[in-house]
Amino acid sequence: MIATLINAAAIILGSLIGLLIRKGIKDEYRKVVFTAAGLTSLAIGIQMVLETDHILSFALALMVGGLLGTAFDVEGAAGPKTLSQQDFSMLRFCSVRAP
């Protein structure tokens, strides 16, 4: 339980620091940080998939999540995209129409 509280506090502290200094960070650096975070998340996801014994549950969760995200227009609600469709297309696993 204490680890959860420490994690939550670290996230809140990091978010506040990010809000305070975000105007001073150039867009080039911001793109690099977001790309690195995205690739790290992708690597962690691939590692978790390779370790799972329940690949069908994983596939079903991806399908249901994709359908719900599409139904609720999660990408549209998230605000403007930082990367263009072409920049991000190499990481896409399904076809998406450009707005």
Side-chain angles (χ1 to χ4, degrees):
M1 179 68 176
I2 189 75
T4 303
L5 294 174
I6 292 172
N7 189 26
I11 290 170
I12 292 169
L13 181 64
S15 298
L16 291 173
I17 291 170
L19 286 172
L20 292 173
I21 66 170
R22 77 174 168 180
K23 301 242 183 207
I25 299 174
K26 293 182 181 180
D27 283 340
E28 299 129 21
Y29 298 127
R30 189 174 296 155
K31 284 183 181 182
V32 169
V33 170
F34 279 113
T35 301
L39 290 174
T40 302
S41 297
L42 182 65
I44 291 169
I46 289 171
Q47 181 183 10
M48 291 174 70
V49 167
L50 294 175
E51 291 176 359
T52 187
D53 293 330
H54 306 286
I55 195 71
L56 291 177
S57 297
F58 174 77
L60 183 62
L62 279 179
M63 289 178 214
V64 170
L67 291 171
L68 288 174
T70 302
F72 292 117
D73 190 28
V74 171
E75 285 188 40
K81 295 173 179 60
T82 57
L83 297 175
S84 71
Q85 182 74 26
Q86 293 173 342
D87 293 338
F88 197 66
S89 64
M90 67 178 228
L91 298 177
R92 295 274 179 157
F93 296 106
C94 62
S95 62
V96 177
R97 286 185 194 217

